[in-house]
Amino acid sequence: MSNLDWAVLICTLLFIVVYGIYKSRGAENIQGYLLGNQTMPWYSVCLSVMATQASAITFLSAPGLGYSAGMSFVQFYLGLPLAMIVLCVTFVPIFHRLKVYTAYEYLEQRFDLKTRALTAFLFLIQRGLSTGITIYAPSIILSIILNINPVYTTIFIGSIVVLYTVYGGTKAVSYTQMLQMAIIFCGLFAAGVIVVQLLPSSVGFGKAISIAGKMGRTEAINFDFDWNNRYTLWSGLIGGFFLQLSYFGTDQSQVGRYLTGSSVGQSRMGLLMNGLVKIPMQFLILLIGVLVFTFYQYTKPPVFFNRFELNKLEKSAYAPELDAIKAEHQQVFQVKQQELDKLGLAIDQGNERHIDAQRTLLAAADAKEKEVRKKATDLMLKNDPNADVNDNNYIFLSFVTEYLPKGLIGLLIAIIFLASMGSTASALNSLASTSVIDIYKRLIIKEGSDEHYLKASRWLTFFWGVVCILMALYASKIGNLIEAVNVLGSYIYGTILGVFLVAFYIKHVNGRAVFLAAVLSEITVCIFGYLEVVAYLWLNIIGCLLVVVLSLLMQGLLKKPAPIVEKSV
């Protein structure tokens, strides 16, 4: 990066951190540290909720997903608006009325301590693991820029976020997220405009989308009902609805965000606006990935986007073999460009017969390019069996650092850092609040002072930060990061949602029945997921329905007979 980019990056990050620390000063009790004294307006709630969900993974992996698989991932969010409506009607007023710190406090009031502890434990596992993935995402950036091992950058990034969150609590999270989302929206719009401007003069926005469409990248909606297809209209509307309802209704990282609202109305407005804005935002991010795909049809892409792994291979004894692969890659790209030019001409002429013929030829050239890339990754594994050969998360970053103008590179990289800081800080805050309120205060030290619990919150924030950093060091092995987070959530969210639905709507079921149902459901979901019986989004429905049905059955089996009352003679 240039000096200007470094200046933009450092100044943006410093401003956000200093602003957050300034606005969060004065947190003297646990209520202020974990809930910000519940003073946040609706727009702060909305942006904080969005920033918690839109991590650095969103801005690294989602464009890569658009590049490699097209727009189909947007269907994942189709159930979000419906989930927001249900939450506003049911969950929000209940949580505000009960004045809880965490979502799981309600479960003890409704059921018992073991049910509360089980759901809190499931949340801690899921959020602890997924937060490690969100820390790893920005560490990729530094490793590319500085050409060093991601292990060092992961530890560096994680440490910054941990120290910042330990000091500021939820106010630091909420206030900084407002600025972060404003900068993110501006940066994404600028990136989309620049991508189009970098295309050849004969290829405008419309033609770029058309070419991407002919190559299978623009199908946003799939109406097929296929249990094994991850992204369809039905998996998004139904499976996505259950996942989003559980995520926003029972995941403390989100519940903690809208519990900071100054009233039920402010929390509701923030969630509804999130439901309206999130889908267009995700569509834009995927569209940028599709446009980058079109750009790389006219500009030769690297044989592998992860520059760190590629540099290792270039310096190894296999460098001559890599040079031969690069030469073959160049030849394949030239052939592909010839077919692409013919496709563009056919599109201009509106000749559907020629378009279909060229699409077939272009698909064959694209397959040949993938074969060459496979040779490169095989060589990487030959050189280093532990090499990271999935470069999907590096595609957009490679484009940004290579082709965007000075200054904008620093801003877009700052955006990815800001997104990571926001989502990671929210997660650490929620992990600490759940650990303190649902575990430590309830099971270990039950009668401590407010100052004691405030210190415990800070120490547990630090503890979870260390755990998440350790998880981040493993994250390079799990493929596309945005899918990995959602797959992990689908193993757990359905079960937790089922427990809450029983709590809200099936009043005669007791704690013992729902506890056993939740344990059996979670075991079943894990088996289904491991065996890949269905696409992962359906696991949310299976887990939720199993808890509801099994809890009803268990209640019937465990129901104690009514005591016999002797009649007086």
Side-chain angles (χ1 to χ4, degrees), residues 203-314:
V203 182
F205 176 79
K207 190 173 180 179
I209 297 298
S210 180
I211 289 172
K214 303 305 179 187
M215 299 183 70
R217 295 300 191 280
T218 59
E219 183 183 10
I221 303 296
N222 184 340
F223 292 94
D224 296 336
F225 194 95
D226 183 354
W227 289 99
N228 296 311
N229 190 339
R230 287 189 168 189
Y231 307 117
T232 67
L233 174 69
W234 311 110
S235 68
L237 278 177
I238 303 172
F241 167 76
F242 277 83
L243 175 59
Q244 305 291 354
L245 186 62
S246 183
Y247 176 52
F248 287 96
T250 68
D251 189 308
Q252 183 59 26
S253 67
Q254 285 292 0
V255 175
R257 304 278 57 79
Y258 57 77
L259 282 181
T260 62
S262 59
S263 67
V264 172
Q266 295 294 308
S267 294
R268 281 173 166 169
M269 182 65 73
L271 283 176
L272 289 174
M273 288 303 297
N274 170 67
L276 292 175
V277 175
K278 178 62 179 178
I279 295 178
M281 172 183 162
Q282 194 64 45
F283 185 89
L284 172 61
I285 295 171
L286 288 168
L287 184 62
I288 290 173
V290 170
L291 291 171
V292 170
F293 170 80
T294 305
F295 169 80
Y296 276 123
Q297 304 313 301
Y298 291 95
T299 302
K300 187 173 75 70
V303 70
F304 194 71
F305 284 100
N306 185 339
R307 193 184 308 160
F308 177 74
E309 294 291 349
L310 192 62
N311 286 346
K312 280 200 309 184
L313 191 58
E314 289 171 342

Side-chain angles (χ1 to χ4, degrees), residues 174-230:
S174 296
Y175 278 115
T176 54
Q177 284 175 332
M178 290 172 56
L179 280 179
Q180 288 164 6
M181 290 308 297
I183 296 171
I184 283 169
F185 282 132
C186 294
L188 285 176
F189 179 78
V193 171
I194 295 295
V195 175
V196 176
Q197 291 180 343
L198 289 173
L199 291 167
S201 57
S202 60
V203 182
F205 176 79
K207 190 173 180 179
I209 297 298
S210 180
I211 289 172
K214 303 305 179 187
M215 299 183 70
R217 295 300 191 280
T218 59
E219 183 183 10
I221 303 296
N222 184 340
F223 292 94
D224 296 336
F225 194 95
D226 183 354
W227 289 99
N228 296 311
N229 190 339
R230 287 189 168 189

Side-chain angles (χ1 to χ4, degrees), residues 82-104:
L82 296 175
M84 294 299 98
I85 293 172
V86 173
L87 285 172
C88 289
V89 173
T90 56
F91 288 58
V92 173
I94 290 174
F95 289 151
H96 267 274
R97 185 176 70 250
L98 296 176
K99 299 185 183 301
V100 295
Y101 286 96
T102 75
Y104 317 111

Side-chain angles (χ1 to χ4, degrees), residues 49 123 202 231 258 477 512 537:
V49 165
F123 163 74
S202 60
Y231 307 117
Y258 57 77
K477 308 299 181 184
R512 187 180 178 193
L537 278 176

Side-chain angles (χ1 to χ4, degrees), residues 2-6 8-9 404-413:
S2 68
N3 291 334
L4 177 60
D5 290 313
W6 279 111
V8 170
L9 172 61
L404 292 194
K406 294 179 180 179
L408 187 58
I409 295 174
L411 178 62
L412 284 175
I413 291 177

Side-chain angles (χ1 to χ4, degrees), residues 3 12 101 117 195 273 312 317 362 369 371 435 476 509 543 552:
N3 291 334
T12 303
Y101 286 96
V195 175
M273 288 303 297
K312 280 200 309 184
L362 194 55
E369 185 179 45
E371 290 178 12
S435 299
S476 64
V509 173
L552 290 170

Side-chain angles (χ1 to χ4, degrees), residues 228 230 527-535:
N228 296 311
R230 287 189 168 189
I527 293 172
F528 277 28
Y530 179 76
L531 298 177
E532 298 183 349
V533 175
V534 295

